[in-house]
Amino acid sequence: MKQKIVLATICLVSSAAHADSSVTLYGIADVGVRYSNGLNASNAPITSHSAAAVSSGVNNTSRWGLKGQEDLGSGMATVFQVEGGFNIDTGAAAKSDKLFDRISLVGLQTDYGTLTVGRQATIMADAISPVDPLGMRYASFNPNITLTALSNTDFGRHAFGTQYGTSGYNDSYYRLDNMLKYSASYGPVKARLTYSAGEVAGNSEALSTSGAGLSYEKGPFVVSGAYMNFRNSASLGLDAYTLGTAYNFDRLTVKANYGYNTADTGANSQTRTRVSSLGVSYLIHPALLLTTAYYRAKRQSTGFVEDGFDRVFTYLEYSLSKRSTVYLEGDYTKWKGDAAGVSSGQANDTRGIGVTLGLMHKF
């Protein structure tokens, strides 16, 4: 089956030059050698031990995809995109159950906006993208991606433990199946609307999602925000909000964001999570970029001790070319409350530190 898919992909790309539509093959290959203390190879807290690992996606998630469009005339075009993540250190797919786990959509683009249908990142992710202090780097460890945009809400001694929306996974709702997303620009303002059908027979509310986002971008100034409501199979709700801003002072860029979500995890239980973040990027010279970012996460949950963490990142990136970048990354995490959890009945270290030397190539 996989061989047939690969063959079909090759045929599609090779025939693109003979079709009216344009098709582009693209991707990112990112790998680094990482040393950490108080964290395991997956960056989960452990007892006071160090770990060495070869890690994929410490700067940008390794991925490959195809995208294209066909001009229909009169300002209209059909568009499509499929994209899958992979771990370059092992060659394994990021999600074993989905070939295109990141994006799988088709849509219609007009002068009045674009409507896309399929598996897509939520408008929470869209809203955070231009204002995340880390620039959406290190997706698996970036609190604005994991907590504000809900790609991995499980940390510490408890988790939501249920699927909200149509992501297909417990505690991960960054991308949703069956999504309709509409976006339109009006000068410097961009509006987004989204709905995802839960497809539960007899209960149209279960596993459904809806939301709206708005951003303003003019010159060096950006402000961006969004709201989404998710439902689980029992129609319990999760409400998520995000609001951030960015300003570019020539070689210096400052970004800040605040995220908040509240989830009904049971008839009489609720979890509230807040994430505050601030960061700066400074272009030392055209090929050398320094980025630092600080995140504070706080969580309150019925029946548990209040917990959270503070996390700091630093990236020094040197562009070898337009497509290739070598980088040095460092991070420090201070866990609070019970957030560090336990391993084999022993409390984990409340501090974690990591350093990565990596190479990223875009194609």
Side-chain angles (χ1 to χ4, degrees), residues 257-335:
N257 195 81
Y258 177 76
Y260 172 80
N261 60 70
T262 176
D264 294 324
T265 53
N268 299 298
S269 59
Q270 193 175 69
T271 296
R272 293 187 177 91
T273 306
R274 296 174 175 83
V275 181
S276 305
S277 55
L278 176 67
V280 296
S281 294
Y282 181 69
L283 191 63
I284 299 173
H285 71 70
L288 189 62
L289 179 67
L290 175 66
T291 300
T292 61
Y294 167 75
Y295 297 83
R296 168 165 286 186
K298 294 183 177 181
R299 182 174 63 180
Q300 296 173 306
S301 188
T302 305
F304 293 89
V305 174
E306 180 177 336
D307 62 10
F309 57 85
D310 292 330
R311 183 167 293 154
V312 180
F313 293 91
T314 299
Y315 273 82
L316 186 63
E317 298 166 286
Y318 182 78
S319 298
L320 301 173
S321 68
K322 290 182 178 181
R323 296 178 179 270
S324 299
T325 301
V326 62
Y327 61 89
L328 179 65
E329 177 271 346
D331 54 81
Y332 171 82
T333 301
K334 175 68 172 70
W335 305 97

Side-chain angles (χ1 to χ4, degrees), residues 18-363:
H18 304 287
D20 293 334
S21 60
S22 63
V23 178
T24 301
L25 171 66
Y26 68 93
I28 296 174
D30 183 311
V31 69
V33 178
R34 180 168 171 81
Y35 168 85
S36 60
N37 187 277
L39 301 170
N40 64 18
S42 300
N43 288 326
I46 56 175
T47 54
S48 299
H49 294 292
S50 60
V54 176
S55 300
S56 178
V58 172
N59 194 309
N60 272 251
T61 303
S62 297
R63 69 196 75 168
W64 74 282
L66 294 165
K67 60 182 178 180
Q69 69 175 50
E70 181 181 18
D71 188 354
L72 302 177
S74 302
M76 298 177 62
T78 53
V79 296
F80 87 94
Q81 186 174 3
V82 291
E83 183 179 294
F86 64 91
N87 299 316
I88 198 169
D89 53 325
T90 64
K95 301 288 187 183
S96 60
D97 59 330
K98 295 180 185 291
L99 177 62
F100 299 115
D101 64 298
R102 295 176 59 84
I103 301 174
S104 177
L105 64 83
V106 66
L108 185 65
Q109 181 178 294
T110 74
D111 292 336
Y112 303 99
T114 301
L115 176 66
T116 52
V117 184
R119 181 172 175 82
Q120 305 172 65
T122 69
I123 59 173
M124 292 292 291
D126 295 338
I128 290 169
S129 182
V131 294
D132 173 49
L134 205 57
M136 304 297 276
R137 293 173 179 83
Y138 213 164
S140 64
F141 207 43
N142 181 331
N144 268 343
I145 296 177
T146 59
L147 299 180
T148 306
L150 303 167
S151 77
N152 184 6
T153 59
D154 180 9
F155 72 92
R157 300 195 182 195
H158 70 291
F160 291 167
T162 185
Q163 177 184 323
Y164 291 91
T166 52
S167 67
Y169 310 105
N170 288 350
D171 302 296
S172 177
Y173 333 112
Y174 186 91
R175 296 180 177 86
L176 301 177
D177 300 341
N178 317 324
M179 178 186 286
L180 287 80
K181 184 192 292 186
Y182 173 76
S183 61
S185 297
Y186 307 93
V189 177
K190 187 167 189 175
R192 298 181 178 92
L193 296 172
T194 186
Y195 173 78
S196 183
E199 298 187 349
V200 176
N203 188 346
S204 60
E205 185 180 63
L207 295 181
S208 67
T209 62
S210 59
L214 198 65
S215 64
Y216 176 89
E217 183 172 355
K218 189 172 184 179
F221 177 67
V222 180
V223 60
S224 181
Y227 160 77
M228 286 192 70
N229 172 262
F230 302 73
R231 296 284 169 174
N232 68 6
S233 58
S235 295
L236 295 176
L238 186 161
D239 292 300
Y241 310 80
T242 183
L243 180 64
T245 186
Y247 196 91
N248 177 256
F249 301 88
D250 190 20
R251 298 169 69 177
L252 179 71
T253 301
V254 180
K255 297 181 179 181
N257 195 81
Y258 177 76
Y260 172 80
N261 60 70
T262 176
D264 294 324
T265 53
N268 299 298
S269 59
Q270 193 175 69
T271 296
R272 293 187 177 91
T273 306
R274 296 174 175 83
V275 181
S276 305
S277 55
L278 176 67
V280 296
S281 294
Y282 181 69
L283 191 63
I284 299 173
H285 71 70
L288 189 62
L289 179 67
L290 175 66
T291 300
T292 61
Y294 167 75
Y295 297 83
R296 168 165 286 186
K298 294 183 177 181
R299 182 174 63 180
Q300 296 173 306
S301 188
T302 305
F304 293 89
V305 174
E306 180 177 336
D307 62 10
F309 57 85
D310 292 330
R311 183 167 293 154
V312 180
F313 293 91
T314 299
Y315 273 82
L316 186 63
E317 298 166 286
Y318 182 78
S319 298
L320 301 173
S321 68
K322 290 182 178 181
R323 296 178 179 270
S324 299
T325 301
V326 62
Y327 61 89
L328 179 65
E329 177 271 346
D331 54 81
Y332 171 82
T333 301
K334 175 68 172 70
W335 305 97
K336 297 181 178 180
D338 292 334
V342 297
S343 296
S344 302
Q346 183 178 355
N348 291 323
D349 199 337
T350 58
R351 301 174 189 270
I353 187 170
V355 179
T356 309
L357 178 62
L359 175 67
M360 176 178 65
H361 176 72
K362 298 180 178 180
F363 59 90

